[in-house]
Amino acid sequence: MPTNKSPGMDGLTVEFYRAFWDILGPDLVTVWAESLQSGVLPLSCRRAVLALLPKKGDLRDLRNWCPVSLLSTDYKIVAKAIPLRLGSVIADVIHPDQTYTVPGRSIFDNLFLVQDLLELGRRDGLSFALLSLDQEKAFDRVDHGYLLSTLQAFGFGPQFVSFLRVLYASAECLVRLNWTLTEQVSFGRGVRQGCPLSGQLYALAIEPFLCLLRRRMTGLVLREPELRLVLSAYADDLLLVVQDPGDLARVEACQAIYLAASSARVNWVKSSGLAVGDWRQVGSLPPAL
């Protein structure tokens, strides 16, 4: 685990646990085992301090602040053990066009694909559009019930799903405002940014939406080599390749289904579109883009 990170409410750092692991380790393992049997983590593991980090834009708008959970180190130790195991199988579950948190994949794969598409359009005179869809507060809107059902649908075993259910059971946070803490707040949605597991959980949560888009959209069909390009994703940053105007309506229909299932929404303010070639021969971009 990386060092020199902000601790949770107990103030105990990674360096502390490394120095005294021989003493604390056996007791922590016993506590985690009892927590799995009882179905509830200790309060220090369930409770986090929520720090709001400013992003670009008008900071009077709450959507332009990024919430980061300051979790206790004992929670992060057990949460870190899951990605280490999940990393060996997650590539078998998530399609190659999603590169986020999947070992062996990189955001540069997404960048090189865009570069190749633009070069292909210029060289062969193709007409299509690239639509960039940004999910609004993506990590914070993931419904816990939907997430656990998704894991079950992907074939994860009951013990693994139960373990994740325990990690989020009775979870709560205290928001840090002006160097003071609010009362505790319980929540039933969101994967906590700051948790070592959150990236992989979000990649799994959005995968059903991406599967729906791959199945329903036409995308860009190439003859040589024979290939169909539909999308490229890095977490919630989603790039769609559109050549058939009917795909625009299909995207909207898929998003409506995903919204009903997971509470996710598209942030149209941060979404954009790029027309390649003579798009007027194909169709028009949505007014929001």
Side-chain angles (χ1 to χ4, degrees), residues 13 20 44 56 81 84 97 106 145 155 157 160 181 203 209 219 231 240 287:
T13 63
F20 298 101
S44 63
K56 62 182 179 180
L84 294 177
D97 57 24
S106 167
F160 181 84
L181 298 178
F209 176 48
L231 62 89
L240 304 178

Side-chain angles (χ1 to χ4, degrees), residues 232-274:
S232 176
Y234 184 79
D236 59 313
D237 293 320
L238 177 60
L239 185 72
L240 304 178
V241 187
V242 178
Q243 190 174 44
D244 178 4
D247 275 350
L248 300 176
R250 298 181 190 108
V251 170
E252 187 175 357
C254 292
Q255 176 63 31
I257 295 173
Y258 183 49
L259 167 63
S262 68
S263 302
R265 289 181 180 177
V266 170
N267 186 344
W268 294 109
V269 175
K270 294 184 178 180
S271 299
S272 59
L274 173 66

